[in-house]
């Protein structure tokens, strides 16, 4: 072979090798964007949860180092919880004012029981609320056998 043909052949091989190296470098620097494909939507059904198998070890054998037998602890009896009586709903009572009846000279008190305004005189009872006494600034009421004093709300 002639000297020129060998040079051209070697030049082609060198250019091919550098072309492959350049192609790989270029692809790692600027890769093609990947196309997003949508996955098929499937219904998710979780697996049933199995309860763990539990066990306990009763170690009532002789201690191999001390030579003694472990004594069982006394089992404490659980006390039954005390059942509380069902509490009745609270009756909200507010004193909002009073007026004087001119014909009978009797005081009429404005009392709100659970948000509903009532007119009461001393000794009357509405919704388990009895008015015992009253003045300009306060009233005394009996709610389910409990006596309480309520101040005037302004």
């Amino acid at each position: 072979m002639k000297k020129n043909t060998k040079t051209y052949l070697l030049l082609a091989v060198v250019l091919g090798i550098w072309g492959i190296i350049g192609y790989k470098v270029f692809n790692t620097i600027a890769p093609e964007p990947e196309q997003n494909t949508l996955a098929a939507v499937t219904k998710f059904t979780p697996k049933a949860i199995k309860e763990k198998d539990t066990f306990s070890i009763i170690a009532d054998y002789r201690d191999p180092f001390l030579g003694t037998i472990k004594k069982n602890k006394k089992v404490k009896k659980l006390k039954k919880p005390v059942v509380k009586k069902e509490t009745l709903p609270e009756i909200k009572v507010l004193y909002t004012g009073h007026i004087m009846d001119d014909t009978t000279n009797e005081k009429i008190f404005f009392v709100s029981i659970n948000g509903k305004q009532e007119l009461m005189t001393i000794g009357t009872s509405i919704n388990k609320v009895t008015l015992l006494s009253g003045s300009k600034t306060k009233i005394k009421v009996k709610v389910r056998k409990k006596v309480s004093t309520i101040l005037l709300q302004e």
Side-chain angles (χ1 to χ4, degrees), residues 8-9 12 17-19 32 73-74 81 83 94 99 123 129 132 135 146 149-150 153:
Y8 291 128
L9 183 64
I17 292 173
W18 278 108
E32 290 183 19
K73 294 181 180 179
K74 293 182 181 178
V83 178
L94 296 173
I99 59 171
V129 177
L132 300 176
S135 67
K146 183 179 176 185
T149 302
I150 300 170
Q153 301 290 318

Side-chain angles (χ1 to χ4, degrees), residues 3 18 21 43 45 52-53 65 67 69-70 73-74 96-97 111 118 125 132 144-145 150 152:
K3 190 175 184 181
W18 278 108
I21 293 171
K43 186 176 181 181
T45 53
K52 291 184 178 181
D53 186 22
F65 299 106
I69 297 176
K70 186 177 181 182
K73 294 181 180 179
K74 293 182 181 178
T96 56
V111 180
E118 304 286 347
S125 179
L132 300 176
R144 291 192 188 121
K145 300 179 183 177
I150 300 170
L152 177 67

Side-chain angles (χ1 to χ4, degrees), residues 107-135:
K107 289 183 180 179
I108 299 173
F109 297 93
F110 297 108
V111 180
S112 293
I113 302 171
N114 288 335
K116 184 177 178 187
Q117 190 167 8
E118 304 286 347
L119 299 175
M120 297 180 76
T121 58
I122 295 176
T124 59
S125 179
I126 299 173
N127 294 337
K128 298 181 183 178
V129 177
T130 306
L131 182 63
L132 300 176
S133 65
S135 67

Side-chain angles (χ1 to χ4, degrees), residues 15 31 35 38 45 56 62 93 107 118 124 132 138 142 154:
L15 287 176
Q35 295 180 358
L38 298 176
T45 53
S56 62
R62 184 180 64 83
V93 180
K107 289 183 180 179
E118 304 286 347
T124 59
L132 300 176
K138 62 184 176 181
K142 182 178 180 183
E154 294 184 16

Side-chain angles (χ1 to χ4, degrees), residues 46-114:
K47 294 182 180 179
I49 299 173
K50 296 179 184 177
E51 289 189 32
K52 291 184 178 181
D53 186 22
T54 59
F55 61 91
S56 62
I57 298 175
I58 300 172
D60 58 352
Y61 51 84
R62 184 180 64 83
D63 186 356
F65 299 106
L66 298 176
T68 58
I69 297 176
K70 186 177 181 182
K71 294 181 181 178
N72 292 336
K73 294 181 180 179
K74 293 182 181 178
V75 178
K76 295 181 180 179
K77 292 183 180 179
L78 297 176
K79 294 181 181 179
K80 293 183 180 178
V82 178
V83 178
K84 294 182 180 179
K85 292 183 180 179
E86 196 173 304
T87 58
L88 298 173
E90 182 180 335
I91 297 176
K92 189 173 182 180
V93 180
L94 296 173
Y95 173 44
T96 56
H98 77 284
I99 59 171
M100 184 83 156
D101 189 7
D102 292 336
T103 58
T104 61
N105 289 334
E106 188 175 33
K107 289 183 180 179
I108 299 173
F109 297 93
F110 297 108
V111 180
S112 293
I113 302 171
N114 288 335

